[in-house]
PDB file of all heavy atoms in Angstrom:
ATOM      1  N   THR A  23       6.256  -8.412  -2.606  1.00 98.00           N
ATOM      2  CA  THR A  23       4.872  -7.970  -2.780  1.00 98.00           C
ATOM      3  C   THR A  23       4.795  -6.826  -3.775  1.00 98.00           C
ATOM      4  O   THR A  23       3.844  -6.753  -4.573  1.00 98.00           O
ATOM      5  CB  THR A  23       4.284  -7.541  -1.423  1.00 98.00           C
ATOM      6  OG1 THR A  23       4.512  -8.574  -0.461  1.00 98.00           O
ATOM      7  CG2 THR A  23       2.795  -7.308  -1.525  1.00 98.00           C
ATOM      8  N   VAL A  24       5.777  -5.943  -3.757  1.00 98.00           N
ATOM      9  CA  VAL A  24       5.818  -4.846  -4.731  1.00 98.00           C
ATOM     10  C   VAL A  24       5.981  -5.403  -6.149  1.00 98.00           C
ATOM     11  O   VAL A  24       5.366  -4.903  -7.095  1.00 98.00           O
ATOM     12  CB  VAL A  24       6.952  -3.864  -4.374  1.00 98.00           C
ATOM     13  CG1 VAL A  24       7.192  -2.871  -5.506  1.00 98.00           C
ATOM     14  CG2 VAL A  24       6.600  -3.117  -3.085  1.00 98.00           C
ATOM     15  N   VAL A  25       6.791  -6.446  -6.310  1.00 98.00           N
ATOM     16  CA  VAL A  25       6.932  -7.083  -7.624  1.00 98.00           C
ATOM     17  C   VAL A  25       5.568  -7.541  -8.142  1.00 98.00           C
ATOM     18  O   VAL A  25       5.198  -7.299  -9.304  1.00 98.00           O
ATOM     19  CB  VAL A  25       7.897  -8.286  -7.550  1.00 98.00           C
ATOM     20  CG1 VAL A  25       7.857  -9.102  -8.850  1.00 98.00           C
ATOM     21  CG2 VAL A  25       9.319  -7.817  -7.291  1.00 98.00           C
ATOM     22  N   GLY A  26       4.792  -8.199  -7.280  1.00 98.00           N
ATOM     23  CA  GLY A  26       3.473  -8.652  -7.691  1.00 98.00           C
ATOM     24  C   GLY A  26       2.566  -7.511  -8.096  1.00 98.00           C
ATOM     25  O   GLY A  26       1.815  -7.613  -9.079  1.00 98.00           O
ATOM     26  N   ALA A  27       2.632  -6.401  -7.361  1.00 98.00           N
ATOM     27  CA  ALA A  27       1.815  -5.235  -7.699  1.00 98.00           C
ATOM     28  C   ALA A  27       2.204  -4.674  -9.065  1.00 98.00           C
ATOM     29  O   ALA A  27       1.335  -4.351  -9.894  1.00 98.00           O
ATOM     30  CB  ALA A  27       1.973  -4.170  -6.617  1.00 98.00           C
ATOM     31  N   TYR A  28       3.502  -4.556  -9.325  1.00 98.00           N
ATOM     32  CA  TYR A  28       3.947  -4.035 -10.615  1.00 98.00           C
ATOM     33  C   TYR A  28       3.555  -4.978 -11.762  1.00 98.00           C
ATOM     34  O   TYR A  28       3.193  -4.527 -12.859  1.00 98.00           O
ATOM     35  CB  TYR A  28       5.462  -3.829 -10.608  1.00 98.00           C
ATOM     36  CG  TYR A  28       5.940  -2.638  -9.795  1.00 98.00           C
ATOM     37  CD1 TYR A  28       7.247  -2.586  -9.309  1.00 98.00           C
ATOM     38  CD2 TYR A  28       5.112  -1.564  -9.518  1.00 98.00           C
ATOM     39  CE1 TYR A  28       7.709  -1.502  -8.572  1.00 98.00           C
ATOM     40  CE2 TYR A  28       5.554  -0.477  -8.788  1.00 98.00           C
ATOM     41  CZ  TYR A  28       6.851  -0.456  -8.319  1.00 98.00           C
ATOM     42  OH  TYR A  28       7.303   0.628  -7.587  1.00 98.00           O
ATOM     43  N   CYS A  29       3.618  -6.280 -11.523  1.00 98.00           N
ATOM     44  CA  CYS A  29       3.214  -7.235 -12.561  1.00 98.00           C
ATOM     45  C   CYS A  29       1.742  -7.091 -12.904  1.00 98.00           C
ATOM     46  O   CYS A  29       1.346  -7.129 -14.082  1.00 98.00           O
ATOM     47  CB  CYS A  29       3.506  -8.668 -12.104  1.00 98.00           C
ATOM     48  SG  CYS A  29       5.247  -9.113 -12.082  1.00 98.00           S
ATOM     49  N   GLN A  30       0.913  -6.933 -11.890  1.00 98.00           N
ATOM     50  CA  GLN A  30      -0.517  -6.754 -12.139  1.00 98.00           C
ATOM     51  C   GLN A  30      -0.781  -5.450 -12.885  1.00 98.00           C
ATOM     52  O   GLN A  30      -1.665  -5.391 -13.763  1.00 98.00           O
ATOM     53  CB  GLN A  30      -1.288  -6.778 -10.817  1.00 98.00           C
ATOM     54  CG  GLN A  30      -1.382  -8.147 -10.168  1.00 98.00           C
ATOM     55  CD  GLN A  30      -2.229  -9.124 -10.967  1.00 98.00           C
ATOM     56  OE1 GLN A  30      -3.180  -8.747 -11.638  1.00 98.00           O
ATOM     57  NE2 GLN A  30      -1.867 -10.401 -10.899  1.00 98.00           N
ATOM     58  N   MET A  31      -0.029  -4.403 -12.565  1.00 98.00           N
ATOM     59  CA  MET A  31      -0.191  -3.132 -13.282  1.00 98.00           C
ATOM     60  C   MET A  31       0.229  -3.275 -14.744  1.00 98.00           C
ATOM     61  O   MET A  31      -0.386  -2.677 -15.634  1.00 98.00           O
ATOM     62  CB  MET A  31       0.617  -2.034 -12.595  1.00 98.00           C
ATOM     63  CG  MET A  31       0.047  -1.581 -11.253  1.00 98.00           C
ATOM     64  SD  MET A  31      -1.659  -0.976 -11.356  1.00 98.00           S
ATOM     65  CE  MET A  31      -1.458   0.416 -12.490  1.00 98.00           C
ATOM     66  N   HIS A  32       1.272  -4.060 -14.992  1.00 98.00           N
ATOM     67  CA  HIS A  32       1.677  -4.290 -16.384  1.00 98.00           C
ATOM     68  C   HIS A  32       0.587  -5.021 -17.154  1.00 98.00           C
ATOM     69  O   HIS A  32       0.267  -4.681 -18.291  1.00 98.00           O
ATOM     70  CB  HIS A  32       2.983  -5.089 -16.417  1.00 98.00           C
ATOM     71  CG  HIS A  32       3.407  -5.459 -17.800  1.00 98.00           C
ATOM     72  ND1 HIS A  32       3.434  -6.770 -18.248  1.00 98.00           N
ATOM     73  CD2 HIS A  32       3.797  -4.701 -18.853  1.00 98.00           C
ATOM     74  CE1 HIS A  32       3.829  -6.788 -19.504  1.00 98.00           C
ATOM     75  NE2 HIS A  32       4.064  -5.560 -19.893  1.00 98.00           N
ATOM     76  N   ARG A  33      -0.002  -6.033 -16.539  1.00 97.00           N
ATOM     77  CA  ARG A  33      -1.095  -6.752 -17.196  1.00 97.00           C
ATOM     78  C   ARG A  33      -2.283  -5.838 -17.455  1.00 97.00           C
ATOM     79  O   ARG A  33      -2.943  -5.930 -18.488  1.00 97.00           O
ATOM     80  CB  ARG A  33      -1.548  -7.925 -16.321  1.00 97.00           C
ATOM     81  CG  ARG A  33      -0.613  -9.118 -16.299  1.00 97.00           C
ATOM     82  CD  ARG A  33      -1.206 -10.236 -15.449  1.00 97.00           C
ATOM     83  NE  ARG A  33      -2.518 -10.639 -15.939  1.00 97.00           N
ATOM     84  CZ  ARG A  33      -3.387 -11.363 -15.247  1.00 97.00           C
ATOM     85  NH1 ARG A  33      -3.082 -11.762 -14.016  1.00 97.00           N
ATOM     86  NH2 ARG A  33      -4.551 -11.684 -15.765  1.00 97.00           N
ATOM     87  N   ALA A  34      -2.570  -4.948 -16.509  1.00 97.00           N
ATOM     88  CA  ALA A  34      -3.747  -4.099 -16.620  1.00 97.00           C
ATOM     89  C   ALA A  34      -3.575  -2.987 -17.649  1.00 97.00           C
ATOM     90  O   ALA A  34      -4.538  -2.619 -18.333  1.00 97.00           O
ATOM     91  CB  ALA A  34      -4.079  -3.494 -15.255  1.00 97.00           C
ATOM     92  N   THR A  35      -2.358  -2.467 -17.765  1.00 96.00           N
ATOM     93  CA  THR A  35      -2.153  -1.283 -18.611  1.00 96.00           C
ATOM     94  C   THR A  35      -1.384  -1.576 -19.889  1.00 96.00           C
ATOM     95  O   THR A  35      -1.464  -0.787 -20.844  1.00 96.00           O
ATOM     96  CB  THR A  35      -1.382  -0.205 -17.830  1.00 96.00           C
ATOM     97  OG1 THR A  35      -0.055  -0.690 -17.534  1.00 96.00           O
ATOM     98  CG2 THR A  35      -2.089   0.143 -16.527  1.00 96.00           C
ATOM     99  N   GLY A  36      -0.615  -2.659 -19.915  1.00 96.00           N
ATOM    100  CA  GLY A  36       0.256  -2.915 -21.057  1.00 96.00           C
ATOM    101  C   GLY A  36       1.472  -2.010 -21.091  1.00 96.00           C
ATOM    102  O   GLY A  36       2.259  -2.064 -22.051  1.00 96.00           O
ATOM    103  N   ASN A  37       1.666  -1.206 -20.052  1.00 97.00           N
ATOM    104  CA  ASN A  37       2.792  -0.276 -19.988  1.00 97.00           C
ATOM    105  C   ASN A  37       4.055  -1.039 -19.578  1.00 97.00           C
ATOM    106  O   ASN A  37       4.134  -1.592 -18.485  1.00 97.00           O
ATOM    107  CB  ASN A  37       2.483   0.838 -18.983  1.00 97.00           C
ATOM    108  CG  ASN A  37       3.534   1.931 -18.973  1.00 97.00           C
ATOM    109  OD1 ASN A  37       4.691   1.709 -19.328  1.00 97.00           O
ATOM    110  ND2 ASN A  37       3.134   3.127 -18.576  1.00 97.00           N
ATOM    111  N   ASP A  38       5.053  -1.055 -20.470  1.00 97.00           N
ATOM    112  CA  ASP A  38       6.269  -1.829 -20.214  1.00 97.00           C
ATOM    113  C   ASP A  38       7.115  -1.272 -19.077  1.00 97.00           C
ATOM    114  O   ASP A  38       8.004  -1.967 -18.570  1.00 97.00           O
ATOM    115  CB  ASP A  38       7.117  -1.909 -21.487  1.00 97.00           C
ATOM    116  CG  ASP A  38       6.512  -2.843 -22.527  1.00 97.00           C
ATOM    117  OD1 ASP A  38       5.702  -3.704 -22.137  1.00 97.00           O
ATOM    118  OD2 ASP A  38       6.844  -2.704 -23.718  1.00 97.00           O
ATOM    119  N   GLU A  39       6.859  -0.035 -18.654  1.00 98.00           N
ATOM    120  CA  GLU A  39       7.612   0.496 -17.527  1.00 98.00           C
ATOM    121  C   GLU A  39       7.318  -0.291 -16.252  1.00 98.00           C
ATOM    122  O   GLU A  39       8.208  -0.497 -15.424  1.00 98.00           O
ATOM    123  CB  GLU A  39       7.285   1.976 -17.329  1.00 98.00           C
ATOM    124  CG  GLU A  39       7.856   2.878 -18.414  1.00 98.00           C
ATOM    125  CD  GLU A  39       7.662   4.344 -18.096  1.00 98.00           C
ATOM    126  OE1 GLU A  39       7.354   4.663 -16.919  1.00 98.00           O
ATOM    127  OE2 GLU A  39       7.835   5.165 -18.999  1.00 98.00           O
ATOM    128  N   TRP A  40       6.066  -0.744 -16.099  1.00 98.00           N
ATOM    129  CA  TRP A  40       5.731  -1.556 -14.927  1.00 98.00           C
ATOM    130  C   TRP A  40       6.455  -2.900 -15.001  1.00 98.00           C
ATOM    131  O   TRP A  40       6.922  -3.415 -13.981  1.00 98.00           O
ATOM    132  CB  TRP A  40       4.232  -1.762 -14.826  1.00 98.00           C
ATOM    133  CG  TRP A  40       3.436  -0.513 -14.595  1.00 98.00           C
ATOM    134  CD1 TRP A  40       2.472   0.008 -15.405  1.00 98.00           C
ATOM    135  CD2 TRP A  40       3.540   0.385 -13.475  1.00 98.00           C
ATOM    136  NE1 TRP A  40       1.959   1.167 -14.872  1.00 98.00           N
ATOM    137  CE2 TRP A  40       2.606   1.416 -13.686  1.00 98.00           C
ATOM    138  CE3 TRP A  40       4.334   0.408 -12.330  1.00 98.00           C
ATOM    139  CZ2 TRP A  40       2.435   2.467 -12.781  1.00 98.00           C
ATOM    140  CZ3 TRP A  40       4.171   1.456 -11.430  1.00 98.00           C
ATOM    141  CH2 TRP A  40       3.233   2.470 -11.656  1.00 98.00           C
ATOM    142  N   ALA A  41       6.557  -3.465 -16.189  1.00 98.00           N
ATOM    143  CA  ALA A  41       7.280  -4.732 -16.349  1.00 98.00           C
ATOM    144  C   ALA A  41       8.760  -4.565 -16.022  1.00 98.00           C
ATOM    145  O   ALA A  41       9.363  -5.419 -15.348  1.00 98.00           O
ATOM    146  CB  ALA A  41       7.110  -5.255 -17.774  1.00 98.00           C
ATOM    147  N   MET A  42       9.352  -3.474 -16.463  1.00 98.00           N
ATOM    148  CA  MET A  42      10.759  -3.211 -16.177  1.00 98.00           C
ATOM    149  C   MET A  42      10.987  -3.059 -14.675  1.00 98.00           C
ATOM    150  O   MET A  42      11.929  -3.624 -14.113  1.00 98.00           O
ATOM    151  CB  MET A  42      11.212  -1.945 -16.899  1.00 98.00           C
ATOM    152  CG  MET A  42      12.665  -1.568 -16.640  1.00 98.00           C
ATOM    153  SD  MET A  42      13.088   0.044 -17.339  1.00 98.00           S
ATOM    154  CE  MET A  42      12.106   1.133 -16.299  1.00 98.00           C
ATOM    155  N   LEU A  43      10.091  -2.321 -14.015  1.00 98.00           N
ATOM    156  CA  LEU A  43      10.216  -2.157 -12.568  1.00 98.00           C
ATOM    157  C   LEU A  43      10.084  -3.491 -11.852  1.00 98.00           C
ATOM    158  O   LEU A  43      10.811  -3.779 -10.899  1.00 98.00           O
ATOM    159  CB  LEU A  43       9.147  -1.184 -12.065  1.00 98.00           C
ATOM    160  CG  LEU A  43       9.403   0.300 -12.309  1.00 98.00           C
ATOM    161  CD1 LEU A  43       8.136   1.114 -12.040  1.00 98.00           C
ATOM    162  CD2 LEU A  43      10.536   0.792 -11.412  1.00 98.00           C
ATOM    163  N   ALA A  44       9.149  -4.316 -12.305  1.00 98.00           N
ATOM    164  CA  ALA A  44       8.958  -5.629 -11.678  1.00 98.00           C
ATOM    165  C   ALA A  44      10.207  -6.485 -11.831  1.00 98.00           C
ATOM    166  O   ALA A  44      10.674  -7.107 -10.858  1.00 98.00           O
ATOM    167  CB  ALA A  44       7.750  -6.326 -12.304  1.00 98.00           C
ATOM    168  N   LYS A  45      10.779  -6.546 -13.030  1.00 98.00           N
ATOM    169  CA  LYS A  45      11.951  -7.374 -13.276  1.00 98.00           C
ATOM    170  C   LYS A  45      13.155  -6.883 -12.476  1.00 98.00           C
ATOM    171  O   LYS A  45      13.904  -7.681 -11.897  1.00 98.00           O
ATOM    172  CB  LYS A  45      12.268  -7.389 -14.774  1.00 98.00           C
ATOM    173  CG  LYS A  45      11.254  -8.148 -15.615  1.00 98.00           C
ATOM    174  CD  LYS A  45      11.496  -7.965 -17.097  1.00 98.00           C
ATOM    175  CE  LYS A  45      12.813  -8.558 -17.535  1.00 98.00           C
ATOM    176  NZ  LYS A  45      12.985  -8.463 -19.011  1.00 98.00           N
ATOM    177  N   GLN A  46      13.346  -5.579 -12.432  1.00 97.00           N
ATOM    178  CA  GLN A  46      14.503  -5.040 -11.720  1.00 97.00           C
ATOM    179  C   GLN A  46      14.363  -5.232 -10.203  1.00 97.00           C
ATOM    180  O   GLN A  46      15.342  -5.569  -9.518  1.00 97.00           O
ATOM    181  CB  GLN A  46      14.670  -3.553 -12.056  1.00 97.00           C
ATOM    182  CG  GLN A  46      15.109  -3.306 -13.489  1.00 97.00           C
ATOM    183  CD  GLN A  46      15.199  -1.820 -13.828  1.00 97.00           C
ATOM    184  OE1 GLN A  46      14.674  -0.973 -13.104  1.00 97.00           O
ATOM    185  NE2 GLN A  46      15.860  -1.498 -14.929  1.00 97.00           N
ATOM    186  N   THR A  47      13.164  -5.016  -9.682  1.00 98.00           N
ATOM    187  CA  THR A  47      12.944  -5.224  -8.250  1.00 98.00           C
ATOM    188  C   THR A  47      13.133  -6.689  -7.883  1.00 98.00           C
ATOM    189  O   THR A  47      13.728  -7.025  -6.857  1.00 98.00           O
ATOM    190  CB  THR A  47      11.535  -4.748  -7.854  1.00 98.00           C
ATOM    191  OG1 THR A  47      11.350  -3.388  -8.257  1.00 98.00           O
ATOM    192  CG2 THR A  47      11.322  -4.860  -6.349  1.00 98.00           C
ATOM    193  N   LEU A  48      12.634  -7.593  -8.735  1.00 98.00           N
ATOM    194  CA  LEU A  48      12.789  -9.019  -8.491  1.00 98.00           C
ATOM    195  C   LEU A  48      14.254  -9.429  -8.525  1.00 98.00           C
ATOM    196  O   LEU A  48      14.728 -10.176  -7.650  1.00 98.00           O
ATOM    197  CB  LEU A  48      11.992  -9.815  -9.528  1.00 98.00           C
ATOM    198  CG  LEU A  48      12.052 -11.337  -9.397  1.00 98.00           C
ATOM    199  CD1 LEU A  48      11.489 -11.798  -8.057  1.00 98.00           C
ATOM    200  CD2 LEU A  48      11.290 -11.998 -10.548  1.00 98.00           C
ATOM    201  N   ALA A  49      15.000  -8.954  -9.517  1.00 97.00           N
ATOM    202  CA  ALA A  49      16.413  -9.302  -9.616  1.00 97.00           C
ATOM    203  C   ALA A  49      17.186  -8.810  -8.394  1.00 97.00           C
ATOM    204  O   ALA A  49      18.045  -9.521  -7.847  1.00 97.00           O
ATOM    205  CB  ALA A  49      17.013  -8.702 -10.894  1.00 97.00           C
ATOM    206  N   SER A  50      16.854  -7.611  -7.932  1.00 96.00           N
ATOM    207  CA  SER A  50      17.531  -7.054  -6.762  1.00 96.00           C
ATOM    208  C   SER A  50      17.253  -7.878  -5.511  1.00 96.00           C
ATOM    209  O   SER A  50      18.170  -8.209  -4.748  1.00 96.00           O
ATOM    210  CB  SER A  50      17.070  -5.603  -6.549  1.00 96.00           C
ATOM    211  OG  SER A  50      17.582  -5.077  -5.344  1.00 96.00           O
ATOM    212  N   LEU A  51      15.990  -8.253  -5.301  1.00 97.00           N
ATOM    213  CA  LEU A  51      15.667  -8.992  -4.072  1.00 97.00           C
ATOM    214  C   LEU A  51      16.239 -10.410  -4.114  1.00 97.00           C
ATOM    215  O   LEU A  51      16.671 -10.935  -3.079  1.00 97.00           O
ATOM    216  CB  LEU A  51      14.159  -8.991  -3.827  1.00 97.00           C
ATOM    217  CG  LEU A  51      13.240  -9.912  -4.640  1.00 97.00           C
ATOM    218  CD1 LEU A  51      13.132 -11.301  -4.025  1.00 97.00           C
ATOM    219  CD2 LEU A  51      11.842  -9.301  -4.740  1.00 97.00           C
ATOM    220  N   LEU A  52      16.248 -11.036  -5.278  1.00 97.00           N
ATOM    221  CA  LEU A  52      16.811 -12.384  -5.380  1.00 97.00           C
ATOM    222  C   LEU A  52      18.302 -12.371  -5.099  1.00 97.00           C
ATOM    223  O   LEU A  52      18.833 -13.265  -4.432  1.00 97.00           O
ATOM    224  CB  LEU A  52      16.533 -12.969  -6.760  1.00 97.00           C
ATOM    225  CG  LEU A  52      15.086 -13.367  -7.055  1.00 97.00           C
ATOM    226  CD1 LEU A  52      14.951 -13.822  -8.504  1.00 97.00           C
ATOM    227  CD2 LEU A  52      14.602 -14.455  -6.106  1.00 97.00           C
ATOM    228  N   GLN A  53      18.993 -11.355  -5.587  1.00 95.00           N
ATOM    229  CA  GLN A  53      20.427 -11.255  -5.344  1.00 95.00           C
ATOM    230  C   GLN A  53      20.717 -11.031  -3.867  1.00 95.00           C
ATOM    231  O   GLN A  53      21.594 -11.693  -3.285  1.00 95.00           O
ATOM    232  CB  GLN A  53      21.019 -10.117  -6.170  1.00 95.00           C
ATOM    233  CG  GLN A  53      22.526  -9.965  -6.017  1.00 95.00           C
ATOM    234  CD  GLN A  53      23.075  -8.809  -6.823  1.00 95.00           C
ATOM    235  OE1 GLN A  53      22.412  -7.792  -7.006  1.00 95.00           O
ATOM    236  NE2 GLN A  53      24.293  -8.959  -7.325  1.00 95.00           N
ATOM    237  N   ARG A  54      19.993 -10.120  -3.236  1.00 95.00           N
ATOM    238  CA  ARG A  54      20.211  -9.852  -1.815  1.00 95.00           C
ATOM    239  C   ARG A  54      19.887 -11.080  -0.973  1.00 95.00           C
ATOM    240  O   ARG A  54      20.582 -11.387  -0.007  1.00 95.00           O
ATOM    241  CB  ARG A  54      19.359  -8.665  -1.372  1.00 95.00           C
ATOM    242  CG  ARG A  54      19.924  -7.320  -1.790  1.00 95.00           C
ATOM    243  CD  ARG A  54      19.141  -6.181  -1.217  1.00 95.00           C
ATOM    244  NE  ARG A  54      17.927  -5.927  -1.974  1.00 95.00           N
ATOM    245  CZ  ARG A  54      16.696  -5.988  -1.482  1.00 95.00           C
ATOM    246  NH1 ARG A  54      16.517  -6.333  -0.222  1.00 95.00           N
ATOM    247  NH2 ARG A  54      15.661  -5.721  -2.229  1.00 95.00           N
TER     248      ARG A  54
END
């Protein structure tokens, strides 16, 4: 759910930091 929130923030702001957080959180949860 946090990944989805960060993705929406990236779309809304264009700030790549939100995209980086989304990708890293997603990669971590998929691995676990």
Side-chain angles (χ1 to χ4, degrees):
T23 309
V24 169
V25 170
Y28 287 157
C29 288
Q30 288 293 328
M31 289 303 299
H32 175 247
R33 285 183 58 196
T35 65
N37 187 335
D38 287 339
E39 289 187 15
W40 296 119
M42 179 187 68
L43 283 168
K45 290 172 65 176
Q46 291 177 345
T47 305
L48 180 61
S50 173
L51 77 86
L52 288 175
Q53 182 181 33
R54 283 186 280 120

